[in-house]
Amino acid sequence: RCHGRRCRPSDYSALARCGLSNAIPRATFTAPSAVVKTQLRTAAQAQAGNGTWRPVSVLDEWVAKEARPISLRQLMVFGRSLTESRLISSANYVRTELPVRIAHRIRDMQKLPYVVVTNRHIEEVYKLYYNAFDTFRKVKEIRTLEDNEKFCEIISQNLKGHLTVIPKLAMGILECGGLMDPKELDHFMNVILRSRISRRVIAEQHLSLTETFNSPYFSPGATLSESDFIGEVFIKCSAKDVISRCAKAVTQLARTTNGPDVQVPEVRIDGHLNASFPYILSHLEYIVGELLRNSVQAVIDRHQKQPDHASSPPPPIEVTICEAQEHVIIRISDRGGGIPRDELPYLWSFSKGPLSQKRLENLGQVPRMAATMQELHVTDELGRADLKAPTYLGSLSTLTSRPPNLRLGMGLPLSRVYAEYWAGSLNLHSLEGYGVDAFLQISRLGNKNEQLTTRASMDA
Ligand code: COI
């Protein structure tokens, strides 16, 4: 089967000749716009043939630059005693870093088979990214607070404009399922999502610092207390508090979805209840919320099938927190019967699985999907986050606002992307016929750099 690599923009009609057009669902393949075609052609020229690239466009110059990863600790130290000159340095870091990170992902997209990059959803993301790249690379050095204000408006507009990226990518990837090796597609999706999280973290962090700096209560150089946020980083994120809040939100969601009379399993928390670490709260809430939601629903479904279900409560979900020297591990154990055998091989896949068609239909109903806190905040007309909104309820509001019964198949793979981004991990063990144990490992010290590459790309 032709994987589309032969079909370059220049021989567009070759698609029809090689018969690939028959293999592609009609809705998936549309003729790419002239601009995208030219960019793909330029990218093809830049390919020297031996796997290396020679710079022929402005994009190549930016692709040649390395991203400069940051750690939670760096974000905290930098933002702890904020001054005007620090704020300006932060702006210039974001100004130069965003186009580098976006350029790398645009190049990844250009390397996709032609039929994949010209999928209508993927192409829309490609255009969004190219516009953002072009906008940020042209921003002149930030020298004054006034420059910074204008820069923040550009950031906010882009954050807002990119809210549709996740569902678009997810739909594109599902539609392209048969056109490329699913492992490669999933790898592409992991890298692009991780990079997106990273860009939003640095962009949102800068907006938050600017907001703090502009607050009437702010005094330059003031040192913050441990219970505070430094920008987006919550200095002492309590595992127990996050789990309790997520459990409450998930319980409410289960009642809405399954009816007010449903018996929702209790969520019991034990272990090291005082464990805390610096983290971006919305990232942790997303992961824990998704894991608990899966567990709660599985237990409810299984319990309802028991003959004596009306007279006995469903088995509880046990959450254990374990604080080790460098990590905090959260284990979520349910007795929901385990994961169906046919779904097991595709648990972490964005592109494949027995429910792909259903996922595609459901995704079509979700025009926006949040990934980080600001995406969920009420925003003003410029798209700037309303930082007065209750911050830590951010991701929980997506959890509760998504239409019930809408399974997108994104929760687990996206949770793993979040977990790995801050050098953690997420694994599941399914005990067939009994239940699931989910293990979330978090780096406790905040000293690990953001992980911009995935295992497969490091091996490559
Ligand atoms: C994204 O959300 O995909 C971004 O790249 C945001 C960034 C342009 C601020």
Side-chain angles (χ1 to χ4, degrees):
R1 168 176 227 167
C2 169
H3 280 192
R5 292 205 188 273
R6 284 195 267 141
C7 306
R8 293 269 160 226
S10 45
D11 50 285
Y12 175 47
S13 60
L15 276 174
R17 285 203 302 279
C18 79
L20 232 177
S21 53
N22 296 334
I24 308 165
R26 240 174 205 292
T28 312
F29 189 78
T30 47
S33 72
V35 179
V36 173
K37 253 173 147 179
T38 312
Q39 283 166 6
L40 292 176
R41 194 177 296 132
T42 313
Q45 282 161 7
Q47 228 171 351
N50 55 1
T52 59
W53 294 69
R54 61 194 154 85
V56 294
S57 71
V58 68
L59 183 77
D60 300 325
E61 289 164 28
W62 288 86
V63 170
K65 299 180 195 192
E66 294 275 339
R68 289 179 291 156
I70 36 103
S71 66
L72 285 165
R73 190 177 279 175
Q74 276 171 314
L75 288 180
M76 286 193 295
V77 169
F78 193 84
R80 181 162 265 145
S81 36
L82 195 57
T83 57
E84 181 175 330
S85 96
R86 284 194 160 203
L87 189 65
I88 302 288
S89 310
S90 161
N92 282 306
Y93 170 73
V94 176
R95 178 183 68 87
T96 49
E97 194 65 12
L98 283 179
V100 172
R101 294 187 186 202
I102 303 174
H104 288 148
R105 301 298 66 89
I106 294 175
R107 176 54 33 94
D108 285 352
M109 295 180 100
Q110 292 178 338
K111 287 182 188 168
L112 288 171
Y114 189 58
V115 284
V116 176
V117 70
T118 51
N119 167 280
R120 66 195 159 129
H121 306 294
I122 309 267
E123 194 189 330
E124 276 169 32
V125 175
Y126 180 91
K127 285 189 202 151
L128 274 174
Y129 280 7
Y130 213 98
N131 285 339
F133 163 71
D134 225 26
T135 306
F136 283 107
R137 81 177 171 87
K138 286 178 183 158
V139 176
K140 300 249 165 8
E141 189 185 344
I142 315 291
R143 293 172 193 272
T144 63
L145 290 175
E146 215 186 354
D147 291 347
N148 185 45
E149 283 305 309
K150 288 189 195 132
F151 182 52
C152 286
E153 278 169 29
I154 299 177
I155 296 178
S156 302
Q157 275 161 4
N158 274 277
L159 283 170
K160 198 175 176 195
H162 285 223
L163 280 171
T164 54
V165 161
I166 296 186
K168 275 194 211 308
L169 278 174
M171 282 195 281
I173 291 297
L174 281 168
E175 285 189 359
C176 293
L179 302 172
M180 197 178 144
D181 176 359
K183 274 211 184 83
E184 279 185 44
L185 258 186
D186 279 324
H187 174 62
F188 164 78
M189 189 69 168
N190 271 290
V191 173
I192 207 157
L193 286 176
R194 214 184 266 206
S195 171
R196 179 174 187 269
I197 294 172
S198 82
R199 293 191 305 271
R200 293 188 84 94
V201 164
I202 60 174
E204 287 165 358
Q205 180 70 4
H206 180 65
L207 288 187
S208 263
L209 293 183
T210 302
E211 196 81 18
T212 306
F213 191 84
N214 289 341
S215 149
Y217 307 107
F218 174 71
S219 53
T223 307
L224 297 159
S225 82
E226 283 211 317
S227 59
D228 275 316
F229 283 89
I230 297 181
E232 296 295 295
V233 188
F234 191 25
I235 309 175
K236 269 199 152 193
C237 182
S238 149
K240 175 178 164 276
D241 289 354
V242 171
I243 297 160
S244 306
R245 263 199 314 276
C246 289
K248 210 166 150 199
V250 166
T251 303
Q252 260 174 329
L253 176 69
R255 294 221 165 90
T256 321
T257 318
N258 302 276
D261 297 332
V262 70
Q263 294 195 68
V264 182
E266 187 194 343
V267 176
R268 291 188 189 155
I269 310 174
D270 64 10
H272 299 144
L273 301 181
N274 293 325
S276 74
F277 42 86
Y279 215 73
I280 297 200
L281 206 43
S282 62
H283 292 187
L284 188 61
E285 284 175 344
Y286 182 88
I287 307 170
V288 174
E290 286 298 323
L291 294 175
L292 281 178
R293 185 227 284 266
N294 287 346
S295 289
V296 164
Q297 196 56 47
V299 172
I300 291 176
D301 290 345
R302 186 160 198 247
H303 184 65
Q304 279 174 347
K305 288 186 200 129
Q306 309 295 322
D308 61 342
H309 74 266
S311 56
S312 65
I317 290 162
E318 318 265 2
V319 184
T320 311
I321 304 167
C322 162
E323 187 175 34
Q325 197 144 26
E326 293 200 2
H327 296 110
V328 170
I329 298 151
I330 298 175
R331 180 185 61 192
I332 300 180
S333 303
D334 69 55
R335 279 182 263 159
I339 295 160
R341 212 172 244 261
D342 63 335
E343 288 180 28
L344 259 187
Y346 308 105
L347 273 191
W348 307 107
S349 177
F350 289 100
S351 65
K352 229 173 166 249
L355 303 171
S356 298
Q357 193 48 41
K358 189 80 204 131
R359 284 163 69 179
L360 202 49
E361 285 164 24
N362 289 349
L363 273 162
Q365 296 177 48
V366 183
R368 294 167 152 214
M369 199 184 290
T372 54
M373 188 150 59
Q374 246 91 353
E375 298 188 44
L376 300 148
H377 281 172
V378 183
T379 49
D380 64 19
E381 64 285 358
L382 290 172
R384 295 198 49 169
D386 172 8
L387 296 179
K388 290 178 287 306
T391 44
Y392 50 70
L393 290 179
S395 1
L396 297 184
S397 65
T398 6
L399 202 60
T400 45
S401 64
R402 187 197 302 170
N405 314 325
L406 214 58
R407 280 189 72 183
L408 305 176
M410 300 272 296
L412 274 184
L414 191 53
S415 295
R416 184 180 257 186
V417 173
Y418 273 116
E420 291 181 351
Y421 169 63
W422 285 122
S425 64
L426 176 61
N427 288 297
L428 291 192
H429 291 291
S430 174
L431 300 129
E432 203 180 344
Y434 186 81
V436 170
D437 280 353
F439 294 86
L440 170 65
Q441 180 171 290
I442 292 157
S443 166
R444 192 169 81 91
L445 307 175
N447 58 350
K448 295 276 189 297
N449 274 350
E450 36 169 6
Q451 304 291 305
L452 298 172
T453 44
T454 65
R455 171 65 43 206
S457 62
M458 286 191 283
D459 293 345

